[in-house]
Amino acid sequence: MSQSMLQQIDRVKNYLNVYEFDQQEVDRCITFIEKYVKHFKGSYAAKPFKLSLWQKYIVSVIIGFYHYVSIDVVDVNGDVVGQKRERRRLTRECFIEMARKNGKSMFASALALYMLILDREKSPEIYVAANSLSQVNKTIYQTVLGIINNSKELKSRVKKRRTDIELLKGGSLTPVATDSSNLDGLSPHFVIFDEVHEFTKDDLIDVMLTALGSRRNPMLMYITSNGTTRNKTFDRLIKQYKSILNGVVENDSVQVFIFEQDNEKEIEDEMKWQKSNPNIDISCDRSYLRDMYQLIFDSPEKKNGILSKNFCLPQEASTIFFTPQESETEDIELNKLMYDTYGTFGLDLSMHIDLSVLTYLFEVESIRYVKQWYFMPKDKLKEKEKIDQVPYSVWAEKGYLVLMDGEYIKPVEIFDFMLEKIREHKLFPQAIGYDRYYAGEFAIKSLEHFGDFMAKPVIQGPKTFSPALNKVKAMLRTKELVHSNPMLQWCLLNTTVRKDINGNICTDKKNANGRIDGTDSLIDAFVVFEENYSRGNLENKHKGGE
């Protein structure tokens, strides 16, 4: 099972202590599918669609959990006269990624028919969305039609019209595309976005998201394999959903089911193919996968397509360097611990309108601790929160993010902030490492105040960063380096690396999954810490106490 699926299962375990689980609703959905949905092509044609264990698990999660919300009671004049508690389905958004030929289209089509016919919603509007109108007939919509045409029971409840499927008692299932000309007036109850890796823009997704308000239990579902198109809709969604799985962003209304290989090495072991192919030996023939695996060697030009489509390994992108376990936070109060300590600072100053980070690195009893402060212009908060899809407002309220007045970050203000923290916590910095590219005024002030023996420019290239990155990774894994900052956790999980011709690595901002400023700031502090540690300037210098 992939690391992402293990993380999702851990989330669901917590749901059992927080939300109501309705087994009857789950059984109702499974019974409908297995009784009325039949295969209509291939070796399974005319046979009932029996759900696999992983499919029943997804149904249980997205259909079974409920919570209660307060709803305004409105009179005939439109005035709010009170409130009532109403039970609502927990899941509003669902993402399913797996390799091709694993039955995801059949599964999604069966769910679409359940949502149309039996989900207790008046006049439900169901939409199947493709990347373009030319692809509509190749999507789940065509699978839905095939299921209906091979079932007398379903034919008695729905009618095929020219452009959609009508539910005779009121409701419809309609195919749409990102290049549809008219998408006004929609009131979706259930939307399936098919093969999201092909989407090149988010307009249709935005339209559907903003149209959900009139429904009691709406749901958006994304189903896809991986692809080779980077920095489009798929990568944006993956970044967002993995932030949820990693605990950086909390949103229990979103369920994420990512069936993938955890690394390319795993495809050499046939027993691990099930990670990305949960329906192997059912709808996905093992011999077919063996043929695909062999084709990687016989036709190397097809490797990227096979790795992405058949094993859900993203291509044309760098590899995430830090694992979730290496990135996780520790519950520790650093303000008291760092009082009266010797250490080093590291600064990553981005463009004046972006995120900047100051790190203080110190050691107590052979463990190194990372204290960080993040900075952002107050006037850019909402804009950056929307772009980066992370809770900057919450992080600011909890003290992890410092909001600077105005639209720009002034390096001199960060320098003054650093001096204030030095005085407040009685710190004894032995060096300040910074990237000279944006440091400017900060570097000048550091040189004026401390001298060049302490203000140290750090070249953020492979020769400097490679040993530091590898040692930081090892120390995070063994808990010899710890932190308590969710923003640093987010940056570490975004960090990708690139290699030079000698095999040395450095952080790769171009292909990162999000901002990595916290990682670069940590490495700046770590590089100058190592230099001073080797000279004995930081050994056994902690006094402690406050």
Side-chain angles (χ1 to χ4, degrees):
M1 192 172 293
S2 71
Q3 180 65 38
S4 295
M5 279 304 299
L6 291 173
Q7 289 174 312
Q8 172 64 15
I9 290 170
D10 284 342
R11 295 179 71 215
V12 173
K13 289 177 182 176
N14 292 329
Y15 292 172
L16 293 170
N17 300 320
V18 180
Y19 303 110
E20 176 185 314
F21 182 75
D22 192 329
Q23 185 65 53
Q24 288 186 337
E25 286 297 307
V26 174
D27 292 342
R28 191 166 184 261
C29 180
I30 292 175
T31 299
F32 168 84
I33 292 173
E34 296 194 334
K35 185 174 182 179
Y36 296 112
V37 176
K38 293 181 174 63
H39 295 276
F40 60 94
K41 58 184 177 180
S43 59
Y44 287 96
K47 294 181 180 179
F49 179 38
K50 296 298 182 182
L51 296 177
S52 300
L53 182 61
W54 66 268
Q55 293 166 330
K56 289 181 178 180
Y57 172 73
I58 291 178
V59 169
S60 298
V61 174
I62 67 175
I63 300 295
F65 285 101
Y66 291 81
H67 65 143
Y68 288 85
V69 297
S70 295
I71 305 296
D72 289 338
V73 178
V74 182
D75 63 18
V76 293
N77 298 316
D79 297 324
V80 177
V81 295
Q83 285 194 326
K84 64 178 180 179
R85 293 185 78 228
E86 192 169 286
R87 194 176 86 145
R88 295 289 177 89
R89 192 156 52 209
L90 177 65
T91 300
R92 291 173 67 90
E93 201 167 329
C94 172
F95 181 87
I96 304 174
E97 180 199 353
M98 67 182 64
R100 63 186 307 184
K101 295 187 178 294
N102 278 274
K104 60 181 179 293
S105 293
M106 192 72 180
F107 178 52
S109 298
L111 285 171
L113 285 167
Y114 172 78
M115 293 293 191
L116 177 68
I117 296 170
L118 215 63
D119 197 37
R120 311 180 203 274
E121 184 73 18
K122 293 182 179 179
S123 298
E125 293 180 19
I126 314 300
Y127 294 94
V128 176
N131 187 46
S132 66
L133 286 170
S134 63
Q135 293 176 315
V136 162
N137 288 332
K138 301 176 184 178
T139 65
I140 287 169
Y141 182 69
Q142 197 66 30
T143 306
V144 171
L145 287 175
I147 292 171
I148 292 171
N149 288 335
N150 284 271
S151 170
K152 292 181 180 179
E153 295 88 351
L154 295 179
K155 276 185 177 180
S156 67
R157 298 192 179 206
V158 300
K159 176 184 178 182
K160 171 69 175 74
R161 297 188 294 196
R162 186 173 65 85
T163 59
D164 66 1
I165 298 167
E166 177 190 17
L167 181 65
L168 297 181
K169 67 177 184 179
S172 61
L173 191 154
T174 308
V176 293
T178 56
D179 55 356
S180 297
S181 58
N182 185 10
L183 295 171
D184 296 330
L186 305 184
S187 179
H189 170 57
F190 184 61
V191 184
I192 298 173
F193 296 99
D194 193 15
E195 297 297 3
V196 178
H197 72 274
E198 296 177 351
F199 283 39
T200 55
K201 55 184 180 179
D202 294 348
D203 298 19
L204 182 57
I205 293 174
D206 292 340
V207 167
M208 293 298 183
L209 276 171
T210 55
L212 297 177
S214 62
R215 298 292 182 176
R216 293 178 65 253
N217 291 309
M219 190 185 304
L220 303 184
M221 174 177 283
Y222 306 89
I223 66 164
T224 188
S225 57
N226 211 305
T228 55
T229 301
R230 303 270 67 96
N231 301 315
K232 299 295 183 182
T233 300
F234 178 86
D235 280 355
R236 179 187 66 78
L237 290 172
I238 281 289
K239 170 187 168 184
Q240 174 184 335
Y241 293 138
K242 289 207 170 182
S243 291
I244 292 173
L245 289 180
N246 291 323
V248 174
V249 175
E250 294 184 13
N251 190 344
D252 288 349
S253 70
V254 176
Q255 311 308 330
V256 185
F257 307 95
I258 299 178
F259 299 87
E260 63 181 358
Q261 303 301 143
D262 288 316
N263 57 69
E264 192 170 323
K265 182 74 173 174
E266 287 186 344
I267 68 169
E268 298 173 10
D269 184 354
E270 187 176 311
M271 298 305 295
K272 293 182 179 179
W273 289 353
Q274 192 170 22
K275 284 188 175 186
S276 56
N277 293 272
N279 242 33
I280 194 169
D281 297 326
I282 304 173
S283 64
C284 181
D285 190 69
R286 188 177 296 268
S287 63
Y288 160 77
L289 282 180
R290 287 173 182 153
D291 291 342
M292 291 297 101
Y293 177 67
Q294 184 59 43
L295 199 57
I296 292 173
F297 305 98
D298 296 341
S299 302
E301 73 278 5
K302 297 181 180 180
K303 177 180 178 180
N304 282 4
I306 293 170
L307 291 180
S308 61
K309 295 287 188 181
N310 298 105
F311 298 100
C312 283
L313 286 163
Q315 299 302 294
E316 298 183 7
S318 301
T319 303
I320 298 297
F321 187 66
F322 296 101
T323 68
Q325 290 75 22
E326 291 162 356
S327 309
E328 65 186 5
T329 61
E330 298 290 326
D331 185 14
I332 188 168
E333 176 53 60
L334 292 179
N335 285 337
K336 290 184 179 180
L337 191 62
M338 72 181 186
Y339 187 85
D340 204 13
T341 56
Y342 287 73
T344 59
F345 280 101
L347 175 72
D348 186 78
L349 247 178
S350 299
M351 294 177 65
H352 295 322
I353 60 173
D354 280 334
L355 205 62
S356 292
V357 189
L358 180 67
T359 297
Y360 181 64
L361 181 64
F362 63 99
E363 183 172 295
V364 178
E365 296 180 355
S366 299
I367 297 177
R368 295 184 193 180
Y369 295 91
V370 184
K371 174 69 177 181
Q372 286 191 330
W373 301 270
Y374 289 73
F375 304 88
M376 177 180 289
K378 186 183 298 183
D379 293 349
K380 297 291 182 180
L381 177 65
K382 295 302 180 184
E383 175 188 336
K384 295 298 181 184
E385 197 163 46
K386 183 177 180 180
I387 293 172
D388 292 344
Q389 296 286 308
V390 289
Y392 284 133
S393 298
V394 174
W395 288 337
E397 289 174 5
K398 294 184 177 181
Y400 301 114
L401 176 63
V402 180
L403 298 177
M404 313 294 275
D405 290 333
E407 295 185 356
Y408 302 98
I409 289 177
K410 302 176 182 65
V412 172
E413 292 182 350
I414 296 181
F415 179 82
D416 292 339
F417 180 93
M418 181 181 71
L419 290 183
E420 179 185 332
K421 294 302 174 184
I422 290 172
R423 290 191 291 266
E424 179 184 350
H425 298 288
K426 198 179 177 183
L427 307 179
F428 296 90
Q430 301 301 295
I432 303 169
Y434 60 88
D435 174 15
R436 70 175 76 200
Y437 192 73
Y438 286 120
E441 297 172 74
F442 182 94
I444 293 171
K445 293 287 288 185
S446 297
L447 288 167
E448 290 176 350
H449 192 89
F450 297 106
D452 58 6
F453 74 95
M454 202 168 108
K456 301 290 185 182
V458 177
I459 299 173
Q460 294 189 345
K463 187 175 180 181
T464 304
F465 263 35
S466 191
L469 276 166
N470 285 309
K471 189 167 183 178
V472 163
K473 182 179 176 70
M475 293 182 73
L476 285 168
R477 186 168 58 249
T478 59
K479 304 301 182 184
E480 296 171 273
L481 179 68
V482 299
H483 73 96
S484 60
N485 194 318
M487 294 190 73
L488 176 55
Q489 180 186 30
W490 170 60
C491 288
L492 290 171
L493 289 168
N494 290 334
T495 301
T496 58
V497 297
R498 55 184 171 84
K499 290 184 179 181
D500 65 10
I501 58 174
N502 298 313
N504 294 314
I505 59 173
C506 68
T507 54
D508 186 3
K509 289 188 177 183
K510 181 180 178 181
N511 289 310
N513 280 7
R515 299 199 178 277
I516 63 171
D517 309 83
T519 305
D520 283 343
S521 175
L522 167 58
I523 300 301
D524 287 340
F526 195 88
V527 167
V528 293
F529 190 99
E530 288 285 281
E531 290 175 357
N532 279 269
Y533 197 87
S534 65
R535 294 197 295 266
N537 294 347
L538 289 161
E539 230 170 338
N540 302 317
K541 291 286 185 79
H542 176 250
K543 298 178 182 179
E546 186 164 12

